[in-house]
Amino acid sequence: MKKLRKLPDYPFDAIYPPPRSLRAGNVLPLIITKDISPHLIQLSQIALKKYNDDNNQDPPFEFDQLVKSTRGMSAGYNYFITFKAAKQSSNTSSTIFQAHVWAPFDGSSPKVVSCAIKRT
């Protein structure tokens, strides 16, 4: 039972699978390049807005920086993004968040599946 509780954290810390195990849908680490970075920042900001709205954050959290990301496929891309955010107009340190955002292949708007402060 304890293992099942840990399962949702897996995609955020994915490791490369053995070469012969690759198949559609694997969740793999995503190398954050200058080309993918703006997209990941945008998805993080969408997830953070939902988090702020759902939790009535006042002042709200503002995106600070990307930490890492993984990506898998399922009728679109499932992005699992770890990023830092800080309270707006505050001198507090950044908080680490984890978000799961699904971006459909048809180009429609991304859907935030979850966004939460990372459990330690």
Side-chain angles (χ1 to χ4, degrees):
M1 206 48 124
K2 194 171 188 175
K3 266 188 166 181
L4 291 176
R5 280 188 236 140
K6 288 291 227 179
L7 194 58
D9 289 346
Y10 165 74
F12 294 98
D13 295 314
I15 60 171
Y16 286 102
R20 292 179 185 236
S21 73
L22 293 176
R23 63 184 184 279
N26 274 356
V27 176
L28 299 170
L30 187 59
I31 297 169
I32 299 175
T33 65
K34 65 179 180 166
D35 294 327
I36 192 73
S37 183
H39 184 60
L40 294 174
I41 290 170
Q42 179 186 28
L43 295 177
S44 298
Q45 290 171 330
I46 291 168
L48 193 57
K49 180 179 182 339
K50 181 168 177 24
Y51 177 87
N52 285 329
D53 292 348
D54 289 353
N55 295 285
N56 299 315
Q57 293 296 309
D58 189 26
F61 281 96
E62 286 185 324
F63 176 84
D64 184 16
Q65 72 180 57
L66 292 170
V67 175
K68 60 186 170 179
S69 182
T70 62
R71 181 174 71 183
M73 284 193 311
S74 175
Y77 284 117
N78 279 299
Y79 290 93
F80 300 92
I81 309 166
T82 301
F83 62 91
K84 292 181 180 180
K87 286 281 192 172
Q88 193 175 58
S89 306
S90 172
N91 290 331
T92 60
S93 61
S94 294
T95 301
I96 298 176
F97 283 80
Q98 291 182 317
H100 174 188
V101 181
W102 178 68
F105 287 139
D106 67 8
S108 56
S109 298
K111 310 286 188 272
V112 177
V113 177
S114 66
C115 182
I117 292 174
K118 182 179 179 182
R119 293 177 273 155
T120 53

